[in-house]
Amino acid sequence: MSNIRIVLADDHVLVRDGIKALLEDEADIEVIDEASDGLEAIEVLKNSDADLLLVDIRMPGMNGIEVVSKIRENNWPVKTLVLSMHDSEEYVVQSIHAGADGYLLKGASKGELLKALHKVAEGGKYFSGDISSILISNFTNGAAVPKKQEPVEDPFNLTKREKQILALVLQGKSNKEIGEELSISKRTAEVHRFNLMKKLDVKNLIELTNVAREYQLA
């Protein structure tokens, strides 16, 4: 296999420098470019022959999950590995739903980082050992290429606004971001989100994602 060409996207220079230092002695891995925020990452990738994007979640302008989603929307042939300090269920599920090929915690060892990079670059999936195996079984088996299904009737009778809220929640948007996108207050967005989850009878993002996928709600 030829060298793995990597783009780093993280808003902290020290983090990017640290990763480059870890990888500089690896003969088959080359960091060819870097970005300090999500929008810059997209611009870099437009004119890049990178094999893999190593991306943080919390970045200004456009977060890492939105970057991954944008890559999938454009069908760019670059693999995506999320590198984050967050091991919360919400971030992991949002990353998988967006189409990430892997999710690695920043506390991982150099050995695990190398293993993840090689696995993802070769077309596989890699999730940090600390990430629940339930998430992996639910969202990685066949999730990259969903099977075509016949339309399913919406038994919840969601309103147009509720469907808009659902789509934005599944994109990883915060209540503040949802409010800005729909020109409503953050509080109103919170109420809509609460009512939506109550209407679908779900308690967390995993259940919400499962129901949305099962009934093709978004």
Side-chain angles (χ1 to χ4, degrees):
M1 181 179 177
S2 58
N3 283 7
I4 302 171
R5 299 180 300 274
I6 295 176
V7 170
L8 297 179
D10 194 296
D11 57 330
H12 295 97
V13 176
L14 286 176
V15 173
R16 299 199 307 272
D17 287 348
I19 294 172
K20 286 188 293 184
L22 282 175
L23 300 177
E24 64 182 359
D25 293 330
E26 301 303 315
D28 62 341
I29 296 177
E30 178 185 4
V31 177
I32 62 171
D33 216 330
E34 54 189 284
S36 59
D37 59 55
L39 293 173
E40 185 180 0
I42 292 297
E43 289 304 310
V44 167
L45 291 170
K46 283 181 180 178
N47 304 298
S48 171
D49 61 349
D51 300 304
L52 189 151
L53 172 69
L54 188 59
V55 60
D56 186 25
I57 288 182
R58 299 291 293 273
M59 295 188 295
M62 176 185 286
N63 67 44
I65 295 172
E66 291 171 321
V67 172
V68 171
S69 182
K70 188 75 172 178
I71 289 170
R72 294 296 164 255
E73 286 175 13
N74 289 304
N75 292 316
W76 291 344
V78 60
K79 305 295 183 182
T80 53
L81 176 60
V82 174
L83 182 65
S84 175
M85 62 184 293
H86 303 285
D87 62 353
S88 70
E89 175 184 293
E90 183 173 1
Y91 280 124
V92 176
V93 174
Q94 288 175 3
S95 297
I96 296 172
H97 184 83
D101 297 298
Y103 193 107
L104 189 66
L105 298 178
K106 284 186 175 178
S109 65
K110 177 181 178 180
E112 187 174 13
L113 172 61
L114 294 176
K115 182 179 179 181
L117 290 173
H118 284 101
K119 183 76 171 180
V120 170
E122 292 166 2
K125 304 287 184 182
Y126 190 93
F127 294 88
S128 179
D130 294 329
I131 304 302
S132 170
S133 59
I134 296 176
L135 288 180
I136 299 175
S137 63
N138 282 346
F139 294 100
T140 64
N141 293 333
V145 186
K147 295 179 180 178
K148 290 185 177 180
Q149 298 177 331
E150 293 299 320
V152 178
E153 183 180 352
D154 173 13
F156 306 102
N157 295 315
L158 297 183
T159 65
K160 181 179 178 181
R161 176 65 84 193
E162 287 169 338
K163 289 180 179 179
Q164 290 176 325
I165 296 289
L166 175 60
L168 293 172
V169 169
L170 294 177
Q171 289 173 27
K173 303 283 188 182
S174 66
N175 289 326
K176 180 181 178 182
E177 291 170 328
I178 291 173
E180 291 173 350
E181 183 129 348
L182 299 179
S183 299
I184 58 178
S185 70
K186 177 183 176 183
R187 175 58 181 162
T188 300
E190 289 174 351
V191 172
H192 277 306
R193 187 169 184 156
F194 174 81
N195 290 337
L196 175 65
M197 296 189 71
K198 186 176 180 181
K199 198 169 189 178
L200 299 184
D201 192 26
V202 296
K203 299 179 178 62
N204 53 50
L205 191 57
I206 292 181
E207 293 181 2
L208 179 65
T209 304
N210 279 334
V211 170
R213 179 176 295 154
E214 180 179 355
Y215 293 97
Q216 301 176 29
L217 300 176

